[in-house]
Amino acid sequence: MVAHILFLLYQHHPIITIFLVLILASTSYGEDDNKDYRDCKKHFNCGVLSNLSYPFWGGDRPEVCGHKGFQLKCEEGQLPIIPSDKLEFRLSRLNQSSRLMTLQLVNSKDYICPTQNLANSSTESDIHVFGYDLNLQNLNLLYNCTVPNSTLVQNRISSSACRKYSGSSFYGSDDILESSSGLHQTQCSVRIKIPIPVETFRRLTGNRSELEQVLREEFNVSYKYDQGPSICDACMASKGICGTNLTDPNREFLCLCRDQPFPFVCKVCFVLFVWAIKLVG
Ligand SMILES: *[C@@H]1O[C@H](CO)[C@@H](O)[C@H](O)[C@H]1NC(C)=O
Ligand SMILES: *[C@@H]1O[C@H](CO)[C@@H](O)[C@H](O)[C@H]1NC(C)=O
Ligand SMILES: *[C@@H]1O[C@H](CO)[C@@H](O)[C@H](O)[C@H]1NC(C)=O
Ligand SMILES: *[C@@H]1O[C@H](CO)[C@@H](O)[C@H](O)[C@H]1NC(C)=O
Ligand SMILES: *[C@@H]1O[C@H](CO)[C@@H](O)[C@H](O)[C@H]1NC(C)=O
Ligand SMILES: *[C@@H]1O[C@H](CO)[C@@H](O)[C@H](O)[C@H]1NC(C)=O
Ligand SMILES: *[C@@H]1O[C@H](CO)[C@@H](O)[C@H](O)[C@H]1NC(C)=O
Ligand SMILES: *[C@@H]1O[C@H](CO)[C@@H](O)[C@H](O)[C@H]1NC(C)=O
């Protein structure tokens, strides 16, 4: 992109372009005097995975270098763990160039007929924790529900799967909690949300061993951490490092540059870029 614009510019204003290239080149030999920039520039290793970069953070890599939802728990010789509220996912494979990761729910058996405590702590799970992958959907597991026998017969978990509770058990996507389903979440004392692949839903029946199998399976997630064109790519093209604005309550994107951070791209490039586009146009 930058090269393309420089080329167009060169055809129209060769002298200006040569100066521009000289300025661009000279700005890239300064000191790295921004602490966040220095911290985030380093390679990041976590357990058995090495050379990790944005959006991952955790271990000795500060949050400013990453994106919310991509924190890793690192342990020597182990695969990294991604905590999402109280659910935990093991990151078993990662391809950073294609932005694909393979996850597996840790202790998946615990979520079939769980104890009250476990359920309370995992109800806030948001499928967007892993970015905007539309191939994920929430699986709601609802236990100990006080409802008439005729309610949602097709979404019942077989009663033999959970004898701990007197009420009945259900599974379903977020639709199951819409008023038209006849089931309100306050009717169930134990509730859990777990993100699973959309195509897995078709296989679900109320059978316990099948539920266990589905929760145990590895699944691939494409971690698109921004919608539409990648702001991170634009930041990197301006010689910046992608990061997060920690003073912002929404943890917005931040482009870390040698001297100081900018909202989207590093300033030197940004100013020259706008100027170049004006000259060409
Ligand atoms: C780490 O990844 C970057 C690209 O993300 C690559 O340029 C570099 O060669 C890698 N370093 C090692 C030691 O694998
Ligand atoms: C990662 O994905 C890219 C693009 O899809 C592919 O060319 C590459 O072989 C993959 N790397 C690994 C280690 O699987
Ligand atoms: C869990 O939630 C139930 C119902 O909402 C509540 O009665 C119970 O005290 C909670 N338990 C814990 C440990 O928070
Ligand atoms: C199941 O729900 C009933 C009715 O809401 C409640 O009285 C009971 O304490 C619950 N059982 C457990 C084990 O939480
Ligand atoms: C609902 O089902 C339970 C057990 O399956 C049975 O004991 C009970 O009588 C049924 N209630 C009604 C109203 O059909
Ligand atoms: C549950 O599914 C497994 C494997 O698909 C099957 O062997 C088993 O008989 C099923 N159990 C019930 C109660 O349907
Ligand atoms: C996930 O992706 C990997 C590598 O691209 C592939 O080998 C594997 O079969 C995929 N797994 C699933 C469950 O789709
Ligand atoms: C970070 O966020 C704060 C609060 O929204 C804002 O005032 C500040 O300008 C942002 N920093 C940058 C470099 O964009």
Side-chain angles (χ1 to χ4, degrees):
M1 181 73 183
V2 176
H4 183 66
I5 287 189
L6 282 178
F7 179 69
L8 279 179
L9 192 60
Y10 185 75
Q11 290 179 321
H12 293 81
H13 308 270
I15 306 279
I16 292 177
T17 310
I18 288 166
F19 273 109
L20 199 71
V21 170
L22 284 177
I23 294 170
L24 274 176
S26 66
T27 53
S28 46
Y29 284 102
E31 287 282 300
D32 299 347
D33 52 5
N34 184 270
K35 182 177 183 303
D36 290 339
Y37 181 90
R38 282 198 313 267
D39 286 349
C40 301
K41 205 173 146 187
K42 281 185 234 154
H43 282 167
F44 165 43
N45 301 326
C46 181
V48 295
L49 298 189
S50 57
N51 202 16
L52 302 177
S53 57
Y54 185 87
F56 298 102
W57 60 284
D60 59 0
R61 187 176 164 88
E63 185 179 2
V64 68
C65 310
H67 188 71
K68 65 178 176 219
F70 292 93
Q71 180 182 12
L72 301 180
K73 293 209 287 194
C74 310
E75 230 177 290
E76 184 85 37
Q78 304 286 312
L79 289 166
I81 300 287
I82 303 189
S84 157
D85 290 315
K86 293 294 154 62
L87 298 178
E88 291 191 327
F89 295 89
R90 190 174 291 110
L91 177 58
S92 54
R93 224 179 344 217
L94 178 66
N95 186 332
Q96 296 191 101
S97 54
S98 58
R99 291 187 187 154
L100 269 180
M101 58 184 180
T102 305
L103 300 178
Q104 186 182 31
L105 182 64
V106 174
N107 297 330
S108 56
K109 266 194 167 163
D110 293 356
Y111 301 97
I112 314 280
C113 200
T115 60
Q116 181 85 60
N117 281 356
L118 188 64
N120 280 11
S121 58
S122 65
T123 47
E124 296 306 317
S125 272
D126 175 358
I127 49 169
H128 289 320
V129 287
F130 305 126
Y132 298 93
D133 189 327
L134 300 177
N135 295 314
L136 293 184
Q137 205 173 358
N138 280 325
L139 168 64
N140 288 271
L141 297 174
L142 307 162
Y143 301 97
N144 198 25
C145 307
T146 317
V147 292
N149 282 5
S150 59
T151 308
L152 281 172
V153 179
Q154 70 279 16
N155 285 70
R156 280 181 191 256
I157 298 173
S158 68
S159 55
S160 60
C162 190
R163 295 192 198 280
K164 199 184 288 173
Y165 300 110
S166 53
S168 39
S169 316
F170 296 89
Y171 69 91
S173 64
D174 287 333
D175 297 350
I176 199 178
L177 297 172
E178 280 170 11
S179 51
S180 57
S181 75
L183 179 70
H184 193 269
Q185 62 170 357
T186 55
Q187 292 170 305
C188 310
S189 71
V190 183
R191 310 183 290 269
I192 297 174
K193 261 185 214 288
I194 301 173
I196 65 167
V198 169
E199 69 266 23
T200 308
F201 260 90
R202 270 185 265 121
R203 283 169 36 208
L204 283 174
T205 64
N207 179 328
R208 175 172 187 139
S209 60
E210 247 156 20
L211 273 175
E212 282 177 356
Q213 171 67 26
V214 160
L215 293 187
R216 189 169 57 225
E217 273 170 15
E218 292 188 332
F219 58 99
N220 288 333
V221 181
S222 129
Y223 56 101
K224 287 182 160 195
Y225 37 76
D226 38 26
Q227 284 169 304
S230 172
I231 28 177
C232 179
D233 287 347
C235 168
M236 289 194 296
S238 75
K239 293 240 163 73
I241 297 176
C242 307
T244 292
N245 186 343
L246 294 185
T247 54
D248 188 282
N250 297 322
R251 295 282 196 264
E252 292 291 354
F253 181 84
L254 199 61
C255 187
L256 302 167
C257 308
R258 279 166 185 280
D259 48 349
Q260 66 176 103
F262 287 98
F264 301 110
V265 292
C266 296
K267 195 167 190 179
V268 174
C269 246
F270 185 63
V271 170
L272 293 178
F273 214 70
V274 172
W275 184 54
I277 285 170
K278 272 193 187 143
L279 280 179
V280 170

